[in-house]
Amino acid sequence: MTYYALIPAAGTGSRMGSELPKQYLPLAGQPLIRHAIATLCQMPAIARVFVVLAPDDELWPADSMTDLAPKLGVFRCGGETRALSVANGLRAMAAELGNIDEDWVLVHDAARPCLSVALVEKLIAEVGDDVAGGLLAVPVADTLKRGNESGYVVETVPRDGLWQAQTPQMFRHHLLLDALDFAPQVTDEASAIETLGLAPRLVAADMTNLKVTYPLDLQLAEWILAHRSPA
Ligand code: C5P
């Protein structure tokens, strides 16, 4: 089986409140996006790593990626939404690689820089050849409240069986493209697969694989990277 990684990076990350899109903010001496790309590129199990940029992106730090060049490919075909960026990326992959219908694609957020090799290996091993694919996720630990617009509790949502979805999320190329064409409104790939009536496998990850969304997340990510034991 062949595995590819696809990293949608065509978002602006407006919640960071920064001029620079968050994927390019400095983190531990490198552009944030380089961390996850480097992790995926160093894995022999991953044949190629592709990044989807906005067509008008002038900030992609090509100079800091040259050592990753043999494995790394860049597509400038980002769309209006994450789902469109991923679908466009999947089509660009097929145009470059030929028939990859049955190959696996691991879609990973550019904004999750602390991804570890161990978590990717666990995802690939636990999903195996499950037709519905699967994703990294964390069981919800906190008590969940639904709030109204005025900031008051409307109800407590039972957390039993609830998971926070992370990435990578891995699916066979043709299935994911069909699902995203069928359900383009989704905010993650697993949701698209679910609309086809399939149940992706949940693979337990941990909170170190956080998504950098707000400024404080950058400090947390920096701490995680600094305290990680060498692979
Ligand atoms: O904004 P959010 O953090 O949910 O974005 C998740 C991922 O999707 C990021 O890597 C972002 O760059 C990407 N994205 C994209 N195209 C868009 C919107 C988001 O590739 N139109």
Side-chain angles (χ1 to χ4, degrees):
M1 283 190 274
T2 305
Y3 300 91
Y4 299 102
L6 181 64
I7 302 180
T12 54
S14 51
R15 284 170 291 184
M16 280 298 287
S18 149
E19 288 281 297
L20 204 58
K22 66 179 168 185
Q23 59 268 31
Y24 300 141
L25 290 173
L27 173 66
Q30 300 173 20
L32 188 149
I33 191 174
R34 193 185 190 282
H35 292 278
I37 294 175
T39 298
L40 290 160
C41 281
Q42 81 180 68
M43 294 185 63
I46 309 281
R48 296 286 308 275
V49 176
F50 296 100
V51 180
V52 177
L53 304 180
D56 59 353
D57 186 325
E58 293 174 354
L59 299 167
W60 167 248
D63 291 349
S64 71
M65 306 285 177
T66 43
D67 58 317
L68 307 172
K71 246 184 174 175
L72 181 60
V74 176
F75 299 131
R76 293 182 172 272
C77 60
E80 283 285 294
T81 62
R82 176 207 167 90
L84 279 173
S85 295
V86 172
N88 291 348
L90 291 170
R91 289 199 169 84
M93 286 174 66
E96 177 157 333
L97 301 168
N99 184 354
I100 51 168
D101 279 3
E102 296 302 324
D103 291 336
W104 290 94
V105 182
L106 283 73
V107 182
H108 183 64
D109 283 332
R112 291 186 190 272
C114 303
L115 179 67
S116 65
V117 169
L119 275 184
V120 182
E121 285 174 345
K122 184 177 188 211
L123 174 69
I124 290 174
E126 291 196 19
V127 170
D129 60 1
D130 196 315
V131 284
L135 64 149
L136 292 181
V138 178
V140 169
D142 297 324
T143 298
L144 297 179
K145 305 290 184 190
R146 189 182 311 281
N148 63 17
E149 284 173 5
S150 312
Y152 290 91
V153 173
V154 175
E155 62 169 337
T156 298
V157 182
R159 68 178 174 222
D160 298 347
L162 288 186
W163 295 66
Q164 278 178 263
Q166 297 185 343
T167 67
Q169 304 199 352
M170 62 179 278
F171 306 98
R172 289 190 191 266
H173 182 275
H174 76 97
L175 183 70
L176 182 54
L177 194 49
D178 287 353
L180 289 171
D181 284 344
F182 181 69
Q185 317 298 351
V186 294
T187 52
D188 76 346
E189 291 64 49
S191 312
I193 301 293
E194 292 156 42
T195 65
L196 300 181
L198 294 168
R201 187 178 176 99
L202 289 160
V203 176
D206 61 61
M207 294 309 292
T208 62
N209 186 25
L210 83 170
K211 183 160 88 164
V212 173
T213 307
Y214 301 105
L216 177 63
D217 300 331
L218 265 185
Q219 293 173 44
L220 289 172
E222 187 118 21
W223 190 92
I224 291 164
L225 292 170
H227 290 81
R228 174 159 289 163
S229 38

